[in-house]
Amino acid sequence: MKFSGRLESCCVAPKRSYKIAGTLANLLASSFRSPSFANPSDCMSTMITADILDLAYQWLCQQRKDAHHNHDVWDLRWHWNEVRPELLQQLAEGTYRLSPTRMVRIEGDCFEVWSSRDSLVLKAVSIVLSRQWHTVLSQRCFHLAGRGGAKAALRQVMDRVYRAGGMSKPSPESQPPKFIFKSDVKSYYASMNHDILVKQLRDLIADPFLLDLVCQYMRRTVVKDGIYRDVQQGIPLGCSLSPLMGAVYLKPLDEAMEKTGLFYARFMDDWVVLAPTRWKLRNVARIINQVLNQLKVWQHPEKTFVGRVAKGFDFLGYHLTPSGLSVANKTRQRFVSRVTRLDEQGSISEVIEGYVRRWRRWVTSGLGVWATQLRVFDDALSEPSRGPRVPVWKSSDACGGEEKG
């Protein structure tokens, strides 16, 4: 069972905790008040406008359109005309308080579920911060909106890896990369230190009430089986604000890699650095270790690869080599496992075939010219008596192997 943060017991009753939290919020707002914002409530009202709140509302309706008929989203939608001005006033005055999240378990992992009102407010905050930080956060951070996503990162990395194999003529001003440092952070969301993140946010958020909302989101209360606990470390999974916080926390790493002048790409906590010489690779490894130590996070030992590009490596579900692109073994294994589980559960053929079509579409979409490098599936499905009905992999291309240190 995986939790998205470290929990500690809280002996304060929920209603009393809200009252105490409101008092602390006022103290926090007064302590963060900047001379450039004589009236912070005016700043908040201009940032989270009615249009932004309406965008967040549309997003919430789409996200929870299939919610249970007893879900609180239907009450919010029914009374939206009354709730909307109330939320705008609370946000303008800086009096909005987030409620405790509810812990639920989905396929072995634990997620925190926010109330519909809180999800709406946090989405509005994420819209505001995304617009403000568009030019502040690194352009090499591909998981942010407008950066192209995982497939854009994959295309750029593959272009450089293909050059390393001598398949294309390198530009005179750059050497083809021969070495790679690829890794990610172990339990990234759960490992974020609140004090470090708050310090980073103070330099990026001028409005004290907006900063207070983000602090409430981090230092939240979680209820599970009737027990209330305060979270002292980590941020929640599945929240619209979490990808932005994930980009901010590793901002020092982005800045350090930019100074090296080497190719660098990051998707959330997965990153790749390509270097032309072994000496530059060692220097990169030293810098990365220093930055991660300062942030109090650690590399995942099983997902770290340091070596020659020619050996090939896995990145974002694919296996990259100078000779071409293929689906990583782990990705294929998860796919086969999923189809096998659907077959064992007695799912009808339409459900299995629909999942296969969606998976194949995900595999080939967004890769540009590299989509032609991928292997294809045999449309014929094996007989049910001979095993699960999974597509047969057919290609004469070399298989994508596992990473080797």
Side-chain angles (χ1 to χ4, degrees):
M1 183 181 298
K2 301 177 181 178
F3 289 87
S4 60
R6 187 175 66 195
L7 304 179
E8 294 186 2
S9 298
C10 176
C11 300
V12 182
K15 292 184 178 180
R16 185 183 176 189
S17 64
Y18 293 156
K19 183 176 181 180
I20 295 175
T23 304
L24 293 177
N26 294 332
L27 294 175
L28 181 67
S30 61
S31 62
F32 288 141
R33 188 164 299 174
S34 172
S36 59
F37 295 97
N39 190 348
S41 62
D42 292 341
C43 177
M44 171 66 85
S45 62
T46 57
M47 287 192 296
I48 301 185
T49 61
D51 292 339
I52 291 178
L53 198 63
D54 290 338
L55 287 176
Y57 175 72
Q58 295 172 10
W59 169 87
L60 179 69
C61 294
Q62 179 65 25
Q63 289 292 312
R64 303 191 176 184
K65 62 180 180 179
D66 298 324
H68 190 269
H69 58 270
N70 287 330
H71 200 283
D72 65 343
V73 69
W74 305 115
D75 181 74
L76 177 67
R77 295 181 64 171
W78 181 262
H79 299 94
W80 176 241
N81 291 333
E82 295 82 20
V83 172
R84 183 174 179 269
E86 178 184 345
L87 283 178
L88 287 173
Q89 181 179 359
Q90 291 177 345
L91 292 172
E93 296 174 352
T95 59
Y96 187 85
R97 313 308 304 166
L98 297 177
S99 304
T101 61
R102 181 170 53 90
M103 186 73 73
V104 297
R105 185 175 180 178
I106 303 176
E107 296 184 355
D109 292 337
C110 286
F111 296 87
E112 299 175 36
V113 179
W114 298 86
S115 68
S116 294
R117 284 200 184 198
D118 291 347
S119 297
L120 176 70
V121 170
L122 291 174
K123 180 61 178 179
V125 172
S126 68
I127 294 174
V128 170
L129 295 181
S130 296
R131 295 177 178 180
Q132 291 183 353
W133 295 347
H134 181 70
T135 58
V136 175
L137 298 177
S138 173
Q139 296 297 317
R140 309 304 301 168
C141 191
F142 287 91
H143 73 272
L144 297 176
R147 306 289 172 84
K151 298 304 176 70
L154 194 67
R155 291 195 305 269
Q156 292 199 20
V157 174
M158 190 59 207
D159 289 342
R160 297 301 182 100
V161 170
Y162 193 67
R163 179 189 300 176
M167 305 297 177
S168 61
K169 185 177 179 181
S171 57
E173 66 275 5
S174 63
Q175 296 177 278
K178 297 181 179 179
F179 300 93
I180 179 175
F181 186 111
K182 194 221 74 156
S183 186
D184 72 354
V185 177
K186 184 178 181 179
S187 303
Y188 183 44
Y189 275 14
S191 301
M192 289 188 189
N193 184 282
H194 286 177
D195 293 335
I196 295 176
L197 185 55
V198 169
K199 184 178 180 181
Q200 294 174 325
L201 293 173
R202 286 177 181 174
D203 297 332
L204 298 174
I205 302 177
D207 176 60
F209 292 149
L210 187 59
L211 178 60
D212 173 59
L213 278 175
V214 180
C215 289
Q216 290 183 56
Y217 145 87
M218 285 188 303
R219 295 165 177 167
R220 61 207 179 277
T221 299
V222 180
V223 57
K224 184 176 184 292
D225 298 330
I227 300 176
Y228 290 80
R229 298 183 177 91
D230 289 334
V231 178
Q232 304 297 329
Q233 179 174 301
I235 62 175
L237 293 170
C239 180
S240 59
L241 192 55
S242 295
L244 272 178
M245 298 299 106
V248 170
Y249 200 78
L250 287 182
K251 188 172 181 289
L253 179 64
D254 300 335
E255 296 171 348
M257 291 299 99
E258 184 178 359
K259 293 179 181 178
T260 64
L262 301 175
F263 176 85
Y264 167 75
R266 176 165 74 93
F267 186 86
M268 190 58 73
D269 62 322
D270 292 273
W271 70 82
V272 166
V273 183
L274 301 176
T277 64
R278 191 183 299 273
W279 179 86
K280 290 187 176 181
L281 184 72
R282 291 175 178 173
N283 184 51
V284 164
R286 177 182 58 82
I287 295 174
I288 290 177
N289 290 331
Q290 289 177 351
V291 173
L292 295 185
N293 286 336
Q294 294 173 359
L295 297 176
K296 298 182 180 181
V297 292
W298 297 268
Q299 300 173 38
H300 198 299
E302 298 179 0
K303 298 182 181 179
T304 299
F305 175 65
V306 181
R308 290 185 174 272
V309 172
K311 291 183 177 181
F313 59 94
D314 289 356
F315 183 57
L316 299 179
Y318 294 82
H319 187 75
L320 289 72
T321 64
S323 60
L325 179 70
S326 62
V327 178
N329 281 341
K330 291 183 179 179
T331 304
R332 286 184 288 165
Q333 291 170 4
R334 285 194 294 267
F335 165 73
V336 173
S337 176
R338 174 62 174 169
V339 174
T340 302
R341 186 163 59 252
L342 288 174
D343 185 74
E344 291 175 347
Q345 294 172 353
S347 301
I348 60 177
S349 299
E350 288 77 7
V351 173
I352 298 178
E353 292 172 0
Y355 171 74
V356 172
R357 285 194 300 270
R358 291 191 299 272
W359 190 85
R360 294 164 78 178
R361 189 183 307 119
W362 168 80
V363 166
T364 57
S365 64
L367 297 179
V369 296
W370 300 113
T372 59
Q373 299 287 334
L374 290 174
R375 282 163 282 189
V376 296
F377 286 110
D378 188 350
D379 292 332
L381 302 178
S382 61
E383 296 296 331
S385 59
R386 301 181 60 183
R389 297 167 290 178
V390 297
V392 179
W393 197 269
K394 67 170 187 178
S395 176
S396 59
D397 296 339
C399 286
E402 295 295 328
E403 299 176 4
K404 299 180 181 179

